[in-house]
Amino acid sequence: MGGWLCPYCYGPVATADGHATISSVGETELWHVACWTSQHMPHVVEEVKIRMRRRARLVTAGTALLTIVFATSSFAAPHEDTSGQGASSITRTDDKAAKTPSTTPDNPADAATDPSVEHPIPRDKKDGKLIDEKYPVLKTWLHPVVKSPEPYPTLSQRHFGAKRHFGKASRVERKECGGGHCGVDLHGPRGNPIVAVAPGVIVKVERRRSGGDGMSGRYVRIQHEDGSLTTYMHLDSVARGIDMDTKVEAGQQIGTLGSTGVDSHTPHLHFSLQLPNKDNSKKWINACHFIDPAPWLVRATVIDKPERKQRKAKPTS
């Protein structure tokens, strides 16, 4: 057989080098060995990553310490005293330096590995304001995947704007998504609770397995108080009572993680963020554009279990 694509990273897999398995729906899949390990042995892989990060930080810290020692030794070397004050002037200088707080991070490697540094808050192209100043709900997000082992995917194929070269997804192009992926694929175990990232009202529920377009599967769309919208696709199930005009709270379960409606059968949540084309407008639910949710996903709080609140939205006059 030939022409296999890995269900995890969507890259081509050579038959002789892949890991063959049977999916949950009875179809044969061929994975990259590394992708299989990453998806099915997350704790082992995460432990290796943690050890590698610790080693890198130790090396960086050691190098920084040697640099400081060398610099200190150079400045502390004796100089000819022409002031007549002797060593006392050096002592006062050192005391002053000791009282001045340092602005250098304790561990420079922390800044390099901080995901919030890699994904800064973007600004609006029209007025230059920070996006989450205009849409403050974004600042208070909870992560949509309960107990997420990977708050943000490391594989670029799962990022916003990633190109799709196979199946129906490759035929969907949106300008604001760079002609590629209009969301972020968040992996996790099938059946894992999916929760609302912030309070809002349900504006769309799809319970058909393949979805209306044969791609989205079961999904829920929520409009939040500031007009922003979040969508949760490929759900295995939609929670009971999640219907149109249902008001949900932050952290309330809206469904379970699955693989409905997609070409790949690897369970994951396709999560997307949309903002209205007219600032803070709640009337233009279908007149909106996609934006990369990465800056707020990496800052979101991961919770251990969903809240269990459910209320109907008050009718509007």
Side-chain angles (χ1 to χ4, degrees):
M1 293 183 292
W4 292 98
L5 291 175
C6 176
Y8 186 69
C9 71
Y10 311 131
V13 185
T15 305
D17 300 331
H19 178 92
T21 185
I22 304 298
S23 73
S24 60
V25 295
E27 296 185 3
T28 302
E29 294 179 337
L30 196 65
W31 295 57
H32 291 120
V33 175
C35 291
W36 174 266
T37 303
S38 177
Q39 175 66 4
H40 296 82
M41 299 177 66
H43 300 294
V44 175
V45 174
E46 186 61 25
E47 180 63 26
V48 172
K49 291 180 179 178
I50 291 173
R51 290 179 181 177
M52 291 178 67
R53 287 197 293 266
R54 286 176 179 171
R55 182 174 299 177
R57 291 176 180 178
L58 286 173
V59 172
T60 303
T63 303
L65 180 61
L66 288 174
T67 302
I68 293 172
V69 171
F70 178 77
T72 303
S73 300
S74 299
F75 282 110
H79 298 283
E80 183 179 357
D81 181 22
T82 60
S83 66
Q85 296 177 351
S88 59
S89 60
I90 297 177
T91 302
R92 284 197 296 272
T93 302
D94 290 344
D95 289 344
K96 182 178 180 181
K99 294 177 182 179
T100 303
S102 172
T103 56
T104 304
D106 292 338
N107 191 346
D110 288 340
T113 57
D114 185 352
S116 63
V117 174
E118 185 180 354
H119 301 283
I121 304 299
R123 293 182 180 274
D124 188 275
K125 294 181 180 179
K126 296 179 180 179
D127 55 25
K129 294 182 179 179
L130 292 172
I131 294 295
D132 56 14
E133 293 294 337
K134 301 179 69 173
Y135 300 94
V137 164
L138 303 179
K139 297 181 180 180
T140 61
W141 270 11
L142 300 180
H143 199 276
V145 181
V146 170
K147 291 186 177 180
S148 175
E150 185 184 45
Y152 186 73
T154 55
L155 288 176
S156 60
Q157 295 91 335
R158 294 157 55 194
H159 294 178
F160 183 88
K163 300 299 181 182
R164 291 291 182 259
H165 304 290
F166 66 96
K168 296 178 180 178
S170 63
R171 300 194 294 270
V172 179
E173 295 185 358
R174 292 288 294 259
K175 182 178 180 181
E176 67 264 34
C177 310
H181 197 209
C182 285
V184 173
D185 286 345
L186 303 171
H187 282 232
R190 183 185 297 278
N192 194 80
I194 300 300
V195 300
V197 297
V201 176
I202 306 296
V203 293
K204 177 67 176 179
V205 178
E206 175 60 73
R207 284 188 164 85
R208 289 173 289 181
R209 180 175 180 80
S210 60
D213 57 3
M215 295 169 48
S216 304
R218 301 186 179 103
Y219 71 89
V220 174
R221 192 181 189 200
I222 302 174
Q223 185 173 42
H224 303 287
E225 298 170 352
D226 56 7
S228 61
L229 298 110
T230 52
T231 304
Y232 313 73
M233 291 185 175
H234 310 318
L235 301 175
D236 243 15
S237 64
V238 176
R240 179 184 297 181
I242 297 298
D243 299 301
M244 288 289 292
D245 298 327
T246 299
K247 185 175 182 180
V248 293
E249 302 297 328
Q252 180 177 337
Q253 183 168 348
I254 57 175
T256 56
L257 189 145
S259 61
T260 58
V262 290
D263 298 319
S264 168
H265 298 295
T266 304
H268 69 276
L269 173 71
H270 173 97
F271 176 81
S272 63
L273 167 65
Q274 291 170 282
L275 301 179
N277 294 339
K278 294 187 177 182
D279 292 346
N280 298 322
S281 172
K282 298 184 180 182
K283 299 180 180 179
W284 302 93
I285 294 176
N286 294 316
C288 50
H289 59 279
F290 288 98
I291 184 173
D292 189 356
W296 299 283
L297 280 174
V298 299
R299 292 169 171 82
T301 301
V302 178
I303 60 176
D304 291 332
K305 60 181 180 179
E307 298 289 340
R308 299 191 178 278
K309 297 180 181 179
Q310 184 176 308
R311 292 181 291 177
K312 285 286 184 179
K314 296 181 180 179
T316 57
S317 55

